[in-house]
Amino acid sequence: MASSIYDLARHLNISIGTVSRALNGRADVNADTRQRVLDAAAKLNYSPNQSGRSLRRGSTHSIAFMLQPHPGDQQYGEPFFIPFLTGLQAKLAERGLDLIVVMGAPGDYQQERLRRVVETRRADAVVLAWTRREDERIDYLTRVGFPFATLGRSRSGGKPYPSLDLDFEKAGADAVDRLVARGHRRIAAIRPSLNLNFGYLFLAGYRKALRRHGIEVDPELIASGFINEAGGYEVTPRVMNSRNPPTAIIFNNDAMALGGCKALAEMGIRPGHDMAVIVIVDTPLCRYFSPALTAFRPPLEPMGRRLAEMLLASIPAYAGEEGPRTIREVWPLELIARDSD
Amino acid sequence: MASSIYDLARHLNISIGTVSRALNGRADVNADTRQRVLDAAAKLNYSPNQSGRSLRRGSTHSIAFMLQPHPGDQQYGEPFFIPFLTGLQAKLAERGLDLIVVMGAPGDYQQERLRRVVETRRADAVVLAWTRREDERIDYLTRVGFPFATLGRSRSGGKPYPSLDLDFEKAGADAVDRLVARGHRRIAAIRPSLNLNFGYLFLAGYRKALRRHGIEVDPELIASGFINEAGGYEVTPRVMNSRNPPTAIIFNNDAMALGGCKALAEMGIRPGHDMAVIVIVDTPLCRYFSPALTAFRPPLEPMGRRLAEMLLASIPAYAGEEGPRTIREVWPLELIARDSD
DNA sequence: CGTTTTTCCGTAAACGTTTACGACAACATA
DNA sequence: TATGTTGTCGTAAACGTTTACGGAAAAACG
C-alpha cells in the first residue's frame, strides 16, 4: 500500500542509503541518480513515514498548540484563535513543520494533556495561550526543559522564554483616556474572573489612567465574571446597581460585551446613547453589532507568524534567519472607533 | 532525559521484553514482576515514545480533525466546532486515543493538508466537517482506503462511511411552518454560497414547505453570500430591495444573521418588530443578541461523542462495543423560541 | 522418580528512517 | 609507479517499541 524507502531502492536497484540521501538533498550523491530517485518517488507516490523518521531523528517536526475549552455547559469557542492559528500554521509550513492542535478536556486546564504531549514526545515544542498570572504550565515546561512559547505573558517560569503579548495595559489606559476626553468620570471595567493575565494588565492600565486623571477608583465599578456571554450578562447589572452608576463601561472581551449589552438592553439602556461602551479585543461581532462597538483590534495573523518565528529561533535545531532576535514582544492594540462610545 | 524501556529493564535487571509485556498488561508475566515494573515506571517517570510505538504497531493511536479557515481577510472561527471537538475528544480519550486538529492553509480546502496527514500516516483516521455537495476529500479518502467519518452528508464517495448530520431540511421546513402559522407569506432565505451541503438541505426544506402551504417560491427572496458576518450584511439588502420584500427572513447561520441584522438596522428595520428572523444554527450569539434570536439548537457535544463512536466502530482495529451499529445518522434540530419572530 | 504441562522470561527480529563509516573506482599529483 | 584526493555508494547500526519463538524452571501428574 504505502511505499517505503525499500521499495524505491529495489525499484532502482540501489541501496536504501543512497535513496535516503538523495531524498534529503545531501551532497554525496550523483546528480543523475538523485534525479532517478526523485522520479521514482513521484511515480511510486512515496512519502516518508513520519514515525520512522521521528524515531530516528529524535524530533517530530511538528509543533503543538494547546486549545482549551473552558468549563461550563455548551461552551463555545474563541473566534480569536483561528486567525492566530492561521498565521502560526503559515509560518511553520514555510519551514516544513506541522502544526497540531491538542484539545484538552474541559476543566483540567491543560495540565494532563500537556504532560501527555511532552512525555510521549508528540511535538518538538508547544505553544500556550491564555496565560495566567501564575501559570503552572510554564513552570512545568521550564522544569522539564521542553521548548515552548506563549501567547501572553505570565509571572511564572524562571528562565526567559519566547512570548508575544498585546499591550492590554495601554489599551485599558487608552480606553479610559478616550472616555474621559468625552466627558465621562464614572467608568466601569468588566474583566474575566479566572486569573488570566490579560485581565490583570487591563485593570492595571485602567486604574493607572483613572488616577492620572485624578479620578478615584471605585471598587463598585469593577466586576469580574466568567469569560463568556453569560459572565457579562450576569455581572453588568452589578455595576449598574452600584450607588453611583457608571456612564461608560469597558469590557475586556467581545463575548462579555455581548452579554453585558443584553443586560443593558433589558434595563432600557442603549449603548452609544445612554451608555458608552468600549471593548478591548475586537472581533467581527463588535463590528456588526448594533451599534458597532468601539474596540481595540489585535493583528492576530501576523502575531501567529511572529510567535512561530520566535519559537523556532529559540530552538537550536530549528534556528534559522528569522527576523529580529527578541524573545519577548508586546504589540500595540489599535483602536477602531465606532459608534458605541 | 526521557527514560526508555531499556532504562526500566536495566534498573530492574530484567529484559526489555518483560518490561514491555508488563506495561501492556499481557498475561504471561508474573504478577509480582509486573508490579515492580509499574512501580519503576512511575518512579523513573517513564512514558512510551510515541514514534517508536507507532512505528512498530503500524498505527498512531490518534485521530485527526481537519479544521479549515475560510478564505477572506481576518477570518474568524466557527464557535460551532469547539463543543463538537470537546465531545469528540472526550470519547476518544476514553479509548486512550488522541485527537489532533490539523489546520489547513486558507484557500486550499484541505486537500493538500489532508494528503499530508494521510501519506505521512500521522493519524489512523480523519474526521471531516463542512462537507460539500460533491466533496473531493471524500472521494480521495475512499479511493485510497483511509478510514474517515464526516460531520455532514455529501453525495460523494461510492462506499458508505460513518456520517452524522443534522436535519437541516426539516429545520428549514419547520422554520417556514412556524412563520406561516404566524401569518407570514413572504419569507426570505439566506444561505452560504459555497456549495456546503447543509445550505442545499436547508433550502430544499424551505422550498418544500412553502409549496406545501401553497406559497409560490420567489427567487428574489433567496440569496446566498459568504458564510460570515460580511456575507449576511452584503446580501440581506438584496432581498429587501426585491419588488415584493419579505416580512420574515431565515438565516442559515448565526454569523450571517448578525450581518443581516446589521443591514436591517441600517434600514431602520427592527428584528422581532418589523421583521421576523429565525436562525438555523444556534450559538450563544443568538441567545444574547437583542432581541434574542429564535434558532434551532444542535446538540454538539453529544454529536462529537457519537461520531467518534461511529468512526471507531468502523475501524476493525478499534471496534469495540460502542452503542448502535448505524453508519449514517441524521439528528433533529430543536427549536428554541425566542423574541425575534 | 520420570514425564508432561504450565508459568515466566529472555532473545531477536521487525517497523522505516537517518547517518557514520568504510570501500571502491576514477582521477590527479609527485 | 606510488600516493593522495575526490566522488559516489553500500553496509550496518541506531532510534524505542512490540511480539513470535523458544527455553528453563517450576508445578502437576502418573
Side-chain angles (χ1 to χ4, degrees), chain A residues 225-272:
Chain A
F226 210 79
I227 184 171
N228 60 17
E229 294 84 358
Y233 181 72
E234 183 200 340
V235 123
T236 301
R238 224 177 284 167
V239 301
M240 294 307 298
N241 293 333
S242 64
R243 271 159 295 184
N244 203 349
T247 60
I249 306 181
I250 311 172
F251 289 97
N252 204 155
N253 172 273
D254 67 322
M256 296 187 84
L258 180 63
C261 289
K262 176 80 173 171
L264 292 177
E266 290 178 358
M267 296 185 256
I269 300 172
R270 292 163 305 162

Side-chain angles (χ1 to χ4, degrees), chain A residues 178-179 182 184 251 253-254 257 271-273 275-298 333-341, chain B residues 73-74 76 229 233 258 262 266:
Chain A
R178 180 176 166 92
L179 291 168
R182 300 186 153 214
H184 296 276
F251 289 97
N253 172 273
D254 67 322
H273 292 268
M275 174 70 63
V277 166
I278 294 186
V279 181
I280 295 296
V281 182
D282 187 38
T283 62
L285 168 64
C286 297
R287 176 160 166 212
Y288 287 97
F289 192 77
S290 301
L293 303 174
T294 293
F296 290 86
R297 172 152 58 192
L333 247 357
E334 180 199 6
L335 180 106
I336 312 288
R338 291 197 272 244
D339 312 325
S340 64
D341 68 329
Chain B
D73 73 327
Q74 278 301 60
Y76 281 73
E229 294 84 357
Y233 181 73
L258 180 63
K262 176 82 174 170
E266 290 179 358

Side-chain angles (χ1 to χ4, degrees), chain A residues 75-79, chain B residues 76-84 254 283-284 300:
Chain A
Q75 178 62 40
Y76 281 73
E78 276 296 291
Chain B
Y76 281 73
E78 276 297 291
F80 195 93
F81 285 129
I82 301 289
F84 173 76
D254 66 323
T283 63
L300 292 171

Side-chain angles (χ1 to χ4, degrees), chain B residues 17-335:
Chain B
T18 347
V19 173
S20 176
R21 280 189 297 259
L23 256 22
N24 290 357
R26 307 200 84 85
D28 56 348
V29 44
N30 185 295
D32 177 54
T33 59
R34 153 166 302 131
Q35 198 42 247
R36 282 169 49 226
V37 170
L38 259 30
D39 291 346
K43 184 176 156 213
L44 298 192
N45 202 355
Y46 168 82
S47 74
N49 179 301
Q50 199 54 233
S51 307
R53 171 173 279 181
S54 19
L55 177 57
R56 168 63 217 221
R57 281 193 181 157
S59 86
T60 62
H61 258 236
S62 63
I63 307 293
F65 176 84
M66 305 289 303
L67 182 60
Q68 179 69 357
H70 275 213
D73 73 327
Q74 278 301 60
Q75 179 61 40
Y76 281 73
E78 276 297 291
F80 195 93
F81 285 129
I82 301 289
F84 173 76
L85 285 174
T86 303
L88 206 56
Q89 127 80 25
K91 178 53 88 178
L92 293 177
E94 283 176 15
R95 297 284 300 271
L97 299 172
D98 282 327
L99 169 67
I100 67 181
V101 179
V102 181
M103 289 282 300
D108 80 307
Y109 195 47
Q110 305 184 349
Q111 272 304 112
E112 190 205 343
R113 306 292 298 165
L114 184 56
R115 288 182 64 93
R116 196 173 159 76
V117 169
V118 169
E119 289 176 356
T120 61
R121 293 156 210 82
R122 229 172 215 298
D124 295 347
V126 61
V127 175
L128 263 32
W130 266 352
T131 48
R132 304 203 173 192
R133 208 82 205 292
E134 330 279 344
D135 202 310
E136 40 178 353
R137 301 172 301 171
I138 293 176
D139 288 327
Y140 166 69
L141 289 169
T142 53
R143 183 152 27 93
V144 301
F146 195 85
F148 70 100
T150 64
L151 176 63
R153 281 163 283 175
S154 166
R155 300 199 304 190
S156 295
K159 281 175 282 188
Y161 52 84
S163 73
L164 179 59
D165 203 357
L166 291 164
D167 199 343
F168 292 102
E169 189 167 344
K170 179 158 191 310
D174 285 353
V176 168
D177 287 350
R178 180 176 166 91
L179 291 168
V180 169
R182 301 184 154 218
H184 296 276
R185 307 282 296 174
R186 307 233 6 112
I187 302 170
I190 291 186
R191 65 179 192 104
S193 54
L194 300 169
N195 63 345
L196 297 167
N197 203 32
F198 64 76
Y200 281 89
L201 296 169
F202 157 59
L203 205 64
Y206 162 86
R207 285 206 165 98
K208 226 177 266 180
L210 281 182
R211 289 210 201 84
R212 183 155 34 75
H213 290 290
I215 302 175
E216 195 187 352
V217 178
D218 180 354
E220 289 196 351
L221 293 188
I222 300 174
S224 54
F226 209 81
I227 185 171
N228 59 18
E229 294 84 357
Y233 181 73
E234 181 200 341
V235 123
T236 300
R238 223 178 283 166
V239 300
M240 294 308 297
N241 293 333
S242 65
R243 271 159 296 188
N244 202 348
T247 60
I249 306 181
I250 311 172
F251 289 97
N252 204 155
N253 173 272
D254 66 323
M256 297 188 82
L258 180 63
C261 288
K262 176 82 174 170
L264 292 176
E266 290 179 358
M267 296 187 258
I269 301 171
R270 291 164 305 165
H273 293 268
D274 320 316
M275 174 71 61
V277 166
I278 294 185
V279 181
I280 295 298
V281 181
D282 186 38
T283 63
L285 169 64
C286 299
R287 176 159 166 214
Y288 287 96
F289 192 77
S290 301
L293 302 174
T294 293
F296 290 87
R297 171 154 56 196
L300 292 171
E301 209 257 335
M303 288 170 66
R305 299 184 73 94
R306 179 62 188 137
L307 189 56
E309 281 180 3
M310 293 166 66
L311 174 59
L312 261 29
S314 79
I315 305 175
Y318 290 141
E321 292 314 316
E322 305 278 6
R325 283 307 208 134
T326 51
I327 191 158
R328 348 197 86 167
E329 296 187 7
V330 177
W331 288 22
L333 246 357
E334 180 200 3
L335 180 105

